[in-house]
Amino acid sequence: MLIETEPTPNPATLKFLPGRIVMDAGTRDFATPEEAEASPLATTLFDLGDVTGVFFGRDFISVTIAPGAEWRDVKPDVLAILMDHFTAQMPLFRGGSAGFSVPPEEESFADDPADAEIVAQIKDLIDTRVRPAVANDGGDIVYRGFDKGKVFLRMQGACSGCPSSTATLKNGIEQLLRYYVPEVTEVRAI
């Protein structure tokens, strides 16, 4: 089995491609060892000590390391863990664990039913134009709400904590949404 690696715009994050589907649907973001308890693979990666984030995408896994850690030291261990996991065909999640990313309710906004058409346009643009590009960089962006012209998005994987994420959000995503959906005035990360 060959596991390819790709750099991401976030120097602390590498994207690992095992050559097979990781998640059939959805994504899953683990920002703490406690969150990782739902997945034996994520738990084992956090157990390395230098890992501060694990993200499962459709066909990749992004791993983020702590400030001061060096990929040249951590990468062989991550590759060994991934190789063992996939060659043994171990489950990605413990029994009964949800595989989909569902941010806590307090981070969601109840969309005004009067904005349903606008929200549908925003979600379509995010799903068709933004998410595929962000997945190429080892992350994901999830729609969380629309309120009085402001679009709220949650950044995951390599996007979370990336030095260029603010530029991507403001110069890329915000401009795209404002161009196609004039009701959008601003995009914010939550």
Side-chain angles (χ1 to χ4, degrees):
M1 172 178 200
L2 173 67
I3 297 176
E4 295 181 46
T5 60
E6 293 180 0
T8 70
N10 183 347
T13 304
L14 277 181
K15 181 177 172 182
F16 295 86
L17 299 129
R20 59 184 64 176
I21 299 298
V22 175
M23 295 273 297
D24 288 324
T27 62
R28 185 66 190 258
D29 192 29
F30 302 98
T32 66
E34 293 75 27
E35 291 176 8
E37 291 175 4
S39 168
L41 177 57
T43 298
T44 304
L45 290 167
F46 271 99
D47 286 347
L48 290 174
D50 289 324
V51 172
T52 60
V54 176
F55 178 80
F56 297 155
R58 177 162 171 72
D59 62 351
F60 67 91
I61 297 158
S62 293
V63 178
T64 303
I65 57 173
E70 296 289 335
W71 270 114
R72 69 175 181 269
D73 300 328
V74 181
K75 185 177 173 181
D77 293 332
V78 171
L79 284 168
I81 289 167
L82 295 176
M83 182 78 69
D84 290 347
H85 177 86
F86 286 107
T87 55
Q89 299 180 1
M90 296 170 61
L92 196 57
F93 296 98
R94 298 188 198 291
S97 298
F100 299 97
S101 176
V102 181
E105 282 301 313
E106 66 268 13
E107 292 182 10
S108 296
F109 295 88
D111 293 323
D112 185 338
D115 294 331
E117 189 175 315
I118 295 167
V119 169
Q121 288 177 306
I122 292 167
K123 287 180 176 181
D124 182 60
L125 286 166
I126 290 169
D127 287 342
T128 59
R129 299 218 179 170
V130 176
R131 292 181 79 200
V134 172
N136 284 336
D137 287 339
D140 197 10
I141 293 184
V142 180
Y143 173 84
R144 300 307 298 146
F146 176 76
D147 185 40
K148 298 180 182 113
K150 295 180 188 81
V151 176
F152 298 91
L153 304 173
R154 182 167 185 232
M155 303 176 95
Q156 299 177 321
C159 295
S160 181
C162 176
S164 62
S165 64
T166 302
T168 299
L169 197 65
K170 292 295 180 183
N171 299 330
I173 299 167
E174 185 175 290
Q175 286 183 1
L176 173 82
L177 292 178
R178 290 175 73 180
Y179 179 80
Y180 287 103
V181 186
E183 294 84 357
V184 173
T185 58
E186 183 180 358
V187 174
R188 292 188 184 173
I190 56 171

